[in-house]
Amino acid sequence: MISYQPPPDAGLDLLYEDGALVVVNKPAGLLSVPGRGEDKADCLVSRVQAVFADAMIAHRLDMDTSGLLVLARGPAMQKKLFEMFRERKVSKRYQAVVAGVLQDKEGAVDLPLIVDWPNRPRQKVDFQEGKPSLTRFRRLAADAAGDCSRVELEPVTGRTHQLRVHMAAIGHPILGDELYAGPAQARAERLLLHASRLEFRHPITDEALRFESPPPF
């Protein structure tokens, strides 16, 4: 098994901070929270806590996914943000580069997902026991010569690996995905998936907040 090799700590890519929350860009290859063992202690939340000691995770991104993360400051705010995510009061958008040219300019993938227990952490489509899972997609650009498409993805539900499994399930895996892309994994040096936009109302002031982060690929 490949050892965990997080990217060097070059300081936080900080987009916003106040007494309630912090918004940062997570680099690809960095865990959102600590993994098992001391070798997996370096993570996004520990790096943020080095600057904001009361920062607490409110949601996660896969290790190989880059992009926007909001962290709560203190347990009361963490509870509030958990509720906002659970009640779908936070709008999330991702950008990805997928294999093949999507014929539809937009659409949705509605396939139930469940953990593939013998092959954890993989997830799989399961129509009998899977949990309802919905992803909306919009084609941003198509490259016939390169046999790929750039897409915007909206996870309406928030299942583990949802975007990755759904795109692979419709025949357009995300380039660089070591779990689901098959031969398309070798077409990129990293998973080409980036959390590019977050929108929500401030949990204290009710101000409308919108954060954007262009993908680094």
Side-chain angles (χ1 to χ4, degrees), residues 38-50:
E38 293 183 5
D39 60 320
K40 297 181 180 65
D42 185 12
C43 61
L44 189 280
V45 70
S46 67
R47 293 185 183 187
V48 175
Q49 287 173 343

Side-chain angles (χ1 to χ4, degrees), residues 26-87:
K26 186 187 83 68
L30 182 67
L31 290 167
S32 291
V33 297
R36 293 183 179 178
E38 293 183 5
D39 60 320
K40 297 181 180 65
D42 185 12
C43 61
L44 189 280
V45 70
S46 67
R47 293 185 183 187
V48 175
Q49 287 173 343
V51 181
F52 303 97
D54 57 352
M56 305 178 75
I57 202 75
H59 65 122
R60 304 181 188 189
L61 294 175
D62 292 345
M63 181 182 74
D64 294 328
T65 303
S66 57
L68 295 169
L69 262 179
V70 57
L71 295 96
R73 299 194 64 178
M77 193 53 54
Q78 183 188 47
K79 181 179 179 181
K80 180 65 175 176
L81 285 173
F82 278 158
E83 290 174 356
M84 291 172 64
F85 277 98
R86 185 170 62 248
E87 295 170 4

Side-chain angles (χ1 to χ4, degrees), residues 2-31:
I2 299 174
S3 62
Y4 176 47
Q5 296 180 322
D9 188 352
L12 298 180
D13 185 356
L14 180 67
L15 281 78
Y16 179 88
E17 62 91 7
D18 64 16
L21 51 89
V22 176
V23 180
V24 296
N25 256 321
K26 186 187 83 68
L30 182 67
L31 290 167

Side-chain angles (χ1 to χ4, degrees), residues 16 22 35 37 61 80 83 88 93 100 117 125 128 130 137 155 181:
Y16 179 88
V22 176
L61 294 175
K80 180 65 175 176
E83 290 174 356
R88 301 179 187 172
R93 297 290 190 279
W117 281 105
V125 175
Q128 278 70 49
F137 67 84

Side-chain angles (χ1 to χ4, degrees), residues 114-188:
I114 193 172
V115 64
D116 185 359
W117 281 105
N119 300 297
R120 294 187 303 273
R122 287 178 59 95
Q123 310 291 310
K124 66 178 181 178
V125 175
D126 188 317
F127 291 97
Q128 278 70 49
E129 299 182 12
K131 294 181 180 179
S133 308
L134 177 62
T135 300
R136 297 191 179 108
F137 67 84
R138 181 166 64 95
R139 191 184 71 204
L140 300 176
D143 180 356
D147 189 36
C148 62
S149 303
R150 181 176 292 272
V151 294
E152 180 183 74
L153 301 172
E154 178 192 358
V156 179
T157 51
R159 310 300 178 201
T160 300
H161 297 175
Q162 176 178 313
L163 303 179
R164 299 162 65 178
V165 180
H166 274 175
M167 296 313 294
I170 63 170
H172 296 283
I174 299 173
L175 301 188
D177 189 342
E178 64 178 14
L179 291 180
Y180 307 103
Q185 177 193 350
R187 294 177 57 184

